[in-house]
Amino acid sequence: MDLEQVKSRAGPREFGPGDDMPEEYREAATRMIQFHANSEIMGAYIERPFIRQAPSLDRKLAVSAQVQDEIGHGQLLYRAAENLGVKTREEMLAELENGEGKFLNCFHYPIQNWYELPMIMFFVDGAAMRRQATLKRTSWEPYAHAIDKICFEEGFHIKHGESILGEIATGSRRDQQLLQEAFDKWWPRILQFFGPTNDQSVHGGFAMDVGLKTMSNDDLRTAFLNAYLSKAEKYGLEIPETPRIEYDEYEERYHVEESDLDWEEFGAVSQNEYPPGAEQIHKRERRQAAVEWVREAITDDSPAAGATSAAAD
Amino acid sequence: MRWEVFRQEKPKDYHSHVGDVHAPNAELATQYAQIMHARRKPANSLWVVPKEEIETVDADEHDVAMGGLTQKEYRWATNYSTGEMAEEIEESEAEQKEAEDNRKKAAGEN
């Protein structure tokens, strides 16, 4: 298939491993899915310390279940990327380890305390879910299949995140104050989640043309703000004065003042050149090395002992 | 030789298992599968797979918990009441609700 045919046929779940796709498509799809897979893995590593820090057994269990889910999503996505034939799973995992693999800006920042956790588990995951829901209609079928399962599980993460948010927001005045501080700190990063506006997006146009993406960054951010600004208000969170956000009644959408956001930092973050982000990658590298023996045990070609692992349920 | 048959109803659907056919080779198996499983019912594509090529895991034989039958209330969206949600979250919750109903049904039957 040549690129023109791809563009004219592009539609939901249109292409799969049986199709002869041009190099440009396979590379763009690999870039997008690998980015998504890396983000799931790095998100899991951000949340992992909170299995221990969670204040109750129920919360520990739920955070633990969520971390399991995210790792599973990463694995599904590497598989969906792998069958594009550009990179193997091992290559993608190696790139993540050595700092070449790109992932979502929010997962470069370590979370300092329990009050920051709902910023990830509710707002960031909510933003991710907003985006993922549109990808049920992506043109690469294996990606869409992975998204089906991801969306099935993701609803729990966000509702659990909101449940934590609600618990803190109705706590003591000190709780509320610390929550507001966490929100002030994370809000600009969350606004940057969808990346720069359309006119500055490097890969967006091509991905839209070939049906990999079905909604632009701008539209996604507006849809996210529509749904989540009212949630912030519901829990008594004050929206910081900067970055400025105004509702444009005529266009019926939120306008975010781009110049209030630190795009230089965002650029460094997205190129893996931001020191706290580099530390997150390094942590991940150490964990990858620490469990090397598990991969060795699994890929050892001696006959299986016949035991099945307990379901990762 | 036994071949398991998977039918895809419409383009982009999943292939679902619909039954099996007996045939000495793949060519005949595809022909029998068409007659048995795609002549009346709408079908876009069929897969036939030699039975012995399929690996299976059975929940009762291997003592594995599948389909979320274990008590893990904390891991379902339906367990958290948080008021009105974004549309895509509601959708995910509805899928989980459906799965929960199926789980309850399955647990009742076991």
Side-chain angles (χ1 to χ4, degrees), chain A residues 154-196:
Chain A
E154 205 71 34
F156 144 58
H157 304 175
I158 293 148
K159 289 196 72 180
H160 179 234
E162 186 173 357
S163 158
I164 295 174
L165 182 67
E167 189 174 84
I168 303 172
T170 53
S172 65
R173 276 203 58 82
R174 180 162 164 73
D175 282 338
Q176 292 169 7
Q177 193 188 333
L178 289 169
L179 184 68
Q180 181 67 45
E181 279 171 26
F183 188 68
D184 291 346
K185 178 172 166 186
W186 278 87
W187 187 236
R189 300 169 181 174
I190 293 164
L191 288 175
Q192 284 177 316
F193 172 94
F194 295 104

Side-chain angles (χ1 to χ4, degrees), chain A residues 12-14 58-59 61-62 65 68-69 122 126 129-130 133 136 141 145 148 151-156 158-160 162-163 227-228 231 234-235 308-309 311 313, chain B residues 8 12-14 57 62-70 72 74-89 91-93 95-97 99 103:
Chain A
R13 307 184 182 215
E14 185 62 35
D58 277 354
R59 293 271 188 240
L61 287 166
Q68 285 175 21
D69 285 352
F122 182 61
M129 180 68 172
R130 180 65 264 175
K136 286 186 174 182
E141 191 193 28
H145 281 173
D148 283 341
C151 286
F152 177 85
E153 293 175 345
E154 205 71 34
F156 144 58
I158 293 148
K159 289 196 72 180
H160 179 234
E162 186 173 357
S163 158
Y228 285 81
K231 281 288 186 182
K234 176 183 168 186
Y235 294 108
T308 45
S309 58
D313 157 41
Chain B
Q8 182 196 48
K12 297 166 207 173
D13 275 357
Y14 291 92
V57 186
H62 296 85
D63 194 28
V64 273
M66 295 195 285
L69 281 171
T70 38
K72 290 187 177 180
Y74 59 84
R75 71 127 54 245
W76 302 108
T78 43
N79 193 43
Y80 300 93
S81 141
T82 47
E84 197 184 318
M85 299 295 298
E87 179 191 338
E88 63 275 10
I89 317 289
E91 230 170 80
S92 158
E93 191 176 346
E95 284 175 24
Q96 292 203 1
K97 176 82 178 61
R103 275 199 304 280

Side-chain angles (χ1 to χ4, degrees), chain A residues 242-257:
Chain A
T242 54
R244 282 164 287 175
I245 297 166
E246 273 157 31
Y247 189 71
D248 185 330
E249 304 233 333
Y250 180 70
E251 285 189 48
E252 293 184 329
R253 63 190 294 148
Y254 284 99
H255 175 78
V256 180
E257 186 52 51

